Amino acid sequence: MTTLVPVLAIDGPSGSGKGTVAAKVASALGFRCLDSGALYRILVFQADRKGIELDQTAALVDLAETIEVEFVEGRVLLGGEDVTDAIRSESVGAKASKIAAVAEIRQALLSLQRRCVRPPGLVADGRDMGTIVFPNANLKIYLTASAEERAQRRHKQLIAKGQGGSLRALVEDISARDDRDMNRDTAPLKPADDSIEIDSTQMTIDEVVDCVLHHWQNR
Ligand code: C5P
């Protein structure tokens, strides 16, 4: 069974390019976009602002239930405030991966994610889009790339933003995050049984986008 409003789920590890691919595919199809990682990042960001520690699960669950987020033209708006750049740092990402291992927090974000399914369709990217959040998605893509390639891409992005950082430290961060995301008990990162795997190590973003659109048209 697939969903009434079409859903295209893209999962994969950090830096596999799924966010960029999801945005381009959504724009080509005229669909809405859900960047589910942004929700975990926003939670960390808001907790910090409100003085909530990351081990205060009940307070984080309450906070998760009040989040008002919109994805508009590649920007992430939290209650109308543009937080796109503020939530993108490596440190927010690493903390997000820690709270994302907590079952109650994942549960608190479920309905928010499912409410994003609205006509004409949704492209959702994350770690558990095809396995947990949208098990009936019309197409499930699992996007990978080698850890070295993902670290290099991230390094280039940081340099473009005028931020430095050693490549070796990035490879270590990415590997630690992969390890945490793949080996947690709740909703671990893994390909859904009915997903199509694309290894983007040797591909450009546009090649990946074309490949996903091809699978969408031929599903
Ligand atoms: O994709 P992004 O790097 O923004 O995600 C940040 C962190 O949020 C990931 O490392 C992962 O632990 C968590 N996450 C998740 N499930 C999702 C999306 C993100 O656990 N669907």
Side-chain angles (χ1 to χ4, degrees):
M1 196 189 79
T2 52
T3 52
L4 226 48
V5 176
V7 175
L8 196 171
I10 305 181
D11 288 305
S14 309
S16 56
K18 56 191 185 325
T20 312
V21 169
K24 288 193 167 214
V25 168
S27 151
L29 296 173
F31 285 6
R32 294 165 194 274
C33 223
L34 163 64
D35 167 4
S36 63
L39 304 180
Y40 293 90
R41 289 172 180 267
I42 282 174
L43 207 49
V44 166
F45 177 77
Q46 277 291 68
D48 185 48
R49 271 187 171 173
K50 293 189 183 273
I52 298 171
E53 300 292 332
L54 297 184
D55 58 0
Q56 292 180 268
T57 301
L60 288 176
V61 165
D62 287 345
L63 195 57
E65 281 159 2
T66 65
I67 284 177
E68 279 178 30
V69 63
E70 282 172 285
F71 300 98
V72 184
E73 292 170 4
R75 311 301 295 176
V76 185
L77 305 183
L78 172 63
E81 177 190 353
D82 188 338
V83 295
T84 320
D85 299 326
I87 62 169
R88 279 281 135 227
S89 73
E90 291 304 303
S91 99
V92 171
K95 288 177 185 162
S97 142
K98 288 185 184 147
I99 61 157
V102 182
E104 294 91 327
I105 291 176
R106 302 198 71 84
Q107 183 63 33
L109 290 174
L110 255 190
S111 64
L112 174 60
Q113 295 175 82
R114 291 186 176 146
R115 281 201 305 275
C116 292
V117 180
R118 272 172 279 152
L122 182 73
V123 179
D125 84 83
R127 306 291 188 293
D128 61 344
M129 299 296 98
T131 50
I132 308 281
V133 183
F134 304 115
N136 297 324
N138 304 65
L139 177 68
K140 301 176 186 178
I141 300 288
Y142 191 78
L143 190 59
T144 60
S146 69
E148 290 70 24
E149 174 63 21
R150 289 185 281 127
Q152 293 223 5
R153 290 177 188 170
R154 187 75 189 123
H155 196 232
K156 277 191 200 150
Q157 280 174 351
L158 288 174
I159 287 175
K161 281 198 226 160
Q163 299 167 18
S166 97
L167 185 59
R168 190 135 67 101
L170 277 176
V171 174
E172 279 167 20
D173 285 355
I174 280 192
S175 300
R177 197 124 72 90
D178 285 355
D179 192 50
R180 222 173 8 243
D181 290 348
M182 289 172 176
N183 294 308
R184 65 188 176 209
D185 292 334
T186 313
L189 168 65
K190 60 174 183 188
D193 291 339
D194 48 352
S195 64
I196 292 170
E197 193 160 330
I198 301 175
D199 182 342
S200 73
T201 308
Q202 310 279 354
M203 295 169 81
T204 64
I205 288 287
D206 286 339
E207 284 169 342
V208 179
V209 170
D210 286 348
C211 181
V212 173
L213 288 171
H214 173 81
H215 285 297
W216 180 257
Q217 266 122 34
N218 294 291
R219 73 193 185 280

